[in-house]
Amino acid sequence: MNRTWLRGPAAVLFPDICVCCWREPVSRRQPVCPFCLEDRFEEADPDVARGTVGDFLPEGVILRYALWKYDKGGSLQELLYRVKYGGMEGVACQFGERLAHRLRPHSVLRRLNPSRLLLLPVPLHPARLRLRGYNQAERIARGMQRTWALPVADPETVRRTRNTRSQTGMTLPERISNLEQAFDVRRPELLRGRTVLLVDDVFTTGATAFSLSTCLLKAGARQTAVVTVARA
C-alpha cells in the first residue's frame, strides 16, 4: 500500500519529515534525511576510486558511474518514480548533490580540465516534458551544479526529436531500434572539445545514454561520461 496515502494528515501536520522513512525531521530544501541518504540504499560502485572504467563501454565513453543499485520494489524505486511523475523536484536536486559529491574526486575526472566539463541532462521529448512539467534529469544536474560548479547545457543544445515508446520490458536490440534518430544536436559549438557528463536518473542497458553519446561525439564532443542516480 502506498505510504504517502497511509501518512494522511501527518503530511499536513508535519510537512518537514523525510519523504523516504517518514520519521526523521528534515528541511524543505533537503527532503531526504541524512540517514536514508547515507545508509538506506546500496552503493552501486563503492570503490569510487576505481569506478566503472573497467566495464565494457562504447568508444568515446570514458566512464559510467551510478550512486546506488536500483532496488526494484524498494524505497529507492518508489522515490525515483515520484521524482519522475510526482513532482518531487527537491529530491531530484538532493540526489544530484549527493551524486556530485561522490563523483567529483573520481580518478578519471580529476585528470581532466574542469573548464572543459559540461553537464548535459538526457533530454525529454517536448510532449513528455509538457506532461510531467519538468525533466527530472535536468533537476538532478542542477543539484550536481550546487556541489560541483560545472555548467549545465542549455536545453536547446540537444533536442529529443522522437517521442519514443517506453522501453520498460524491451530487449537491448529493441531499445536500440526504438532510439534510432531520437536526438538532434542543435548547438554543436557548445560541445566541441568538451567532456560531456550525461546525467539521468537510472541506467538500465545504456541504450539511451550510448545513443545520445554517439550523437554528441559526431557533433564534436571530445568524450562523454554517463552518470546516474541508480543502476538497474
Side-chain angles (χ1 to χ4, degrees):
M1 189 174 292
N2 189 293
R3 287 180 296 168
T4 306
W5 181 85
L6 282 172
R7 191 176 168 216
V12 177
L13 297 174
F14 307 104
D16 296 334
I17 296 176
C18 174
V19 297
C20 183
C21 68
W22 305 116
R23 291 190 298 269
E24 297 298 321
V26 293
S27 69
R28 292 182 185 276
R29 187 177 178 275
Q30 301 287 325
V32 180
C33 73
F35 171 79
C36 288
L37 206 61
E38 294 282 346
D39 298 315
R40 183 170 295 277
F41 312 126
E42 183 180 358
E43 290 188 44
D45 300 302
D47 187 359
V48 69
R50 180 178 180 275
T52 54
V53 292
D55 292 2
F56 175 79
L57 296 172
E59 185 176 356
V61 181
I62 61 170
L63 175 68
R64 179 189 59 74
Y65 180 82
L67 255 183
W68 299 304
K69 290 183 180 179
Y70 190 72
D71 58 343
K72 192 168 184 179
S75 300
L76 182 59
Q77 181 187 21
E78 183 180 345
L79 277 180
L80 289 172
Y81 181 87
R82 286 189 280 160
V83 162
K84 186 178 289 189
Y85 300 109
M88 284 196 168
E89 300 177 54
V91 174
C93 289
Q94 191 176 7
F95 282 175
E97 291 177 9
R98 182 68 178 168
L99 179 56
H101 175 75
R102 291 285 291 163
L103 185 66
R104 188 175 181 179
H106 197 289
S107 58
V108 170
L109 299 179
R110 286 180 64 184
R111 296 196 294 265
L112 303 177
N113 183 348
S115 68
R116 305 306 295 165
L117 298 179
L118 178 69
L119 298 172
L120 193 149
V122 173
L124 286 177
H125 187 272
R128 289 193 182 180
L129 186 60
R130 287 192 297 271
L131 183 64
R132 296 183 191 175
Y134 69 97
N135 180 358
Q136 76 279 358
E138 188 271 339
R139 295 300 191 269
I140 294 168
R142 293 296 176 188
M144 292 182 68
Q145 189 180 42
R146 290 178 182 174
T147 299
W148 192 3
L150 298 179
V152 177
D154 184 284
E156 292 301 311
T157 304
V158 182
R159 296 289 301 274
R160 194 156 188 159
T161 54
R162 287 185 55 229
N163 192 7
T164 52
R165 294 180 293 125
S166 171
Q167 301 195 128
T168 302
M170 287 187 182
T171 64
L172 180 56
E174 288 171 340
R175 287 171 181 253
I176 293 171
S177 176
N178 189 43
L179 288 161
E180 286 181 0
Q181 299 180 333
F183 301 104
D184 179 35
V185 177
R186 301 292 180 90
R187 301 192 64 187
E189 71 278 5
L190 300 180
L191 304 173
R192 291 192 186 109
R194 287 182 176 269
T195 297
V196 182
L197 276 59
L198 303 182
V199 181
D200 209 354
D201 52 353
V202 181
F203 181 97
T204 306
T205 64
T208 300
F210 296 155
S211 176
L212 177 54
S213 177
T214 298
C215 292
L216 302 180
L217 294 169
K218 288 180 178 178
R222 180 186 176 193
Q223 55 199 5
T224 67
V226 180
V227 298
T228 59
V229 172
R231 184 189 73 209

